[in-house]
Amino acid sequence: MDLEYSPEYQAFRDEVRQFLGEHGSKAPRPQGGDDRMQPRDWQQLLIEHGYAARTIPREYGGYGAEPDILKTRIIAEEFARARVPPGHSGDNRLVPTVLELGTEEQKRKYVGPSVRGEVSWCQGYSEPGSGSDLASLSTKAELDGDEWVINGQKIWTSGAKTADMMFCLVRTEPDAPKHNGISYLVFSMDTPGIDVRPLVTMTGEAFFNEVFFTDVRVPKDQIVGKRGEGWFVANTTLRYERGGLGDPNEAENRFLRIVDMMQRETVGGISLMENPIYRDRLLKLQARILAMKFNGMRVLSHNIKGEEAGLPRWIVKLNGCELNHQMAGMAVDVMGELGLLYDGSPYLRDHGFWQARYMLDLGLIIGGGTAQIQKNMIGERALGLPKEPKYDQAAA
């Protein structure tokens, strides 16, 4: 087996390295100076060179390249090596869903502004009492002429306070079985009747929100898929969301930041990288990241071929979220007593990035489907194991 890259791919790697050498210092960073590019300008530069929105067709705002697993891997490796934040392909939930299931008009209207960073999205799924059992949602939309009239509530809506748009699950067929009576609507967060109330979490921030809808009127054509078939569309979105929550490229970037930190931090004048206990922990994390990378390539291979990835896809979210939380925990340990600091201390490292990630990543083990639910799905849907017996309340 020949594991060497061909001359074509070596030349492509050189091209990516040259780009990063010329432009990498312009990438936006939290502590960047005046010479940094604005995030939207940086994103547009990446799209123009094919390092973001790479396989999204040009007519929808992307670069328009053919899928190529090795080039995708080379881009990820070189951006991680250069410690440069990678680009994105827009909201990793809405954009691929619209490309797969949306109308031509919806693709042209929503994909381009999303991949350029001109429009941000939030997801209206969970409700009080309808989290794990999402299909029991009760927010309703009734058709009044050419408009949907929405009433109800969503909760744990990430980024709703700052988002421009929402994709939202609503019940449009109240008499249909719960999985069949749902529709998938998209609308502006500036629509009259929407009230967003922030939820402050243990990070001290209000990234999550609860959203209330009172007679919110949305044009009837702002529906993705068919009326009453929103559950199918929603699961398409969840498939992409769970893949994004276990992104091996982002995990590798974080890992390299920990490597840098361990080389800088010392105990008794000795680098932590020389400490065998910490180095052993680091190597275990590295092994899991490598496994994630190769599993990601398996999933991508299946996607390119139009095949169902099966087990490799089902394990991405579970493994990725738990691994990210463990990396954040190690980074906090590496900082020693400084890892306990938070919120504006003059000795805070990396603007408190790792402390915030430790708490946020713990929440992401729950968000998008808890680890326990993910394990059930893996067992039942990927491994074909019998379902867990349900408690019979009538018999009790």
Side-chain angles (χ1 to χ4, degrees), residues 16 21-22 24 29 59 72 81 108 160 162 173 201 212 236 245 248 268 285 287 296 299 310 325 381-382 386:
V16 178
E22 294 176 0
R29 292 185 174 89
E59 59 265 33
T72 299
R81 183 190 63 82
R108 294 185 181 276
T162 57
E173 328 298 319
T201 66
F212 296 86
T236 300
L245 289 173
L285 291 174
V299 174
H325 186 242
R381 303 186 191 182

Side-chain angles (χ1 to χ4, degrees), residues 59-104:
E59 59 265 33
Y60 305 138
Y63 180 72
E66 290 296 319
D68 188 309
I69 298 172
L70 293 182
K71 286 187 177 181
T72 299
R73 183 72 253 147
I74 288 170
I75 293 170
E77 288 176 352
E78 291 305 317
F79 272 72
R81 183 190 63 82
R83 311 294 199 273
V84 173
H88 59 82
S89 296
D91 187 286
N92 69 347
R93 304 158 299 178
L94 185 281
V95 166
T97 301
V98 169
L99 285 172
E100 183 174 337
L101 301 174
T103 63
E104 183 67 20

Side-chain angles (χ1 to χ4, degrees), residues 201-395:
T201 66
M202 60 183 174
T203 65
E205 299 177 350
F207 181 66
F208 298 113
N209 304 264
E210 53 184 348
V211 184
F212 296 86
F213 306 97
T214 305
D215 295 332
V216 175
R217 305 186 77 88
V218 175
K220 69 176 183 180
D221 63 347
Q222 292 184 196
I223 181 172
V224 179
K226 296 180 180 179
R227 174 174 176 167
E229 296 183 359
W231 184 249
F232 171 74
V233 183
N235 275 279
T236 300
T237 300
L238 285 171
R239 185 175 77 241
Y240 290 116
E241 178 187 15
R242 288 165 181 156
L245 289 173
D247 182 4
N249 301 327
E250 181 179 352
E252 185 173 25
N253 278 316
R254 294 190 196 181
F255 174 80
L256 292 173
R257 291 179 67 169
I258 297 174
V259 171
D260 289 342
M261 190 188 309
M262 287 181 61
Q263 291 171 336
R264 295 193 310 267
E265 296 293 333
T266 60
V267 175
I270 300 175
S271 166
L272 271 183
M273 190 60 79
E274 301 302 317
N275 184 303
I277 296 176
Y278 278 92
R279 194 166 61 241
D280 183 62
R281 286 179 63 185
L282 185 71
L283 288 171
K284 289 179 179 178
L285 291 174
Q286 185 180 36
R288 292 187 62 189
I289 289 172
L290 287 171
M292 274 186 68
K293 287 171 61 176
F294 291 117
N295 186 69
M297 292 178 74
R298 285 202 299 176
V299 174
L300 183 58
S301 298
H302 285 293
N303 290 342
I304 290 174
K305 296 176 182 178
E307 302 171 349
E308 170 54 48
L311 181 61
R313 175 169 67 84
W314 284 108
I315 66 175
V316 169
K317 194 268 180 186
L318 174 67
N319 184 60
C321 288
E322 292 184 341
L323 176 57
N324 285 336
H325 186 242
Q326 291 165 9
M327 283 198 293
M330 180 168 184
V332 169
D333 289 347
V334 166
M335 288 185 283
E337 67 276 14
L338 299 183
L340 301 176
L341 300 177
Y342 200 72
D343 196 18
S345 168
Y347 300 102
L348 200 62
R349 301 290 179 86
D350 287 338
H351 304 274
F353 172 82
W354 292 110
Q355 291 91 329
R357 287 306 324 185
Y358 181 80
M359 290 186 281
L360 181 61
D361 287 333
L362 178 60
L364 290 178
I365 293 175
I366 301 172
T370 68
Q372 290 76 18
I373 288 176
Q374 294 298 309
K375 290 176 181 177
N376 282 343
M377 292 167 63
I378 290 168
E380 295 169 11
R381 303 186 191 182
L383 299 178
L385 300 178
K387 289 187 176 183
E388 183 177 356
K390 291 186 176 181
Y391 176 68
D392 189 342
Q393 293 182 342

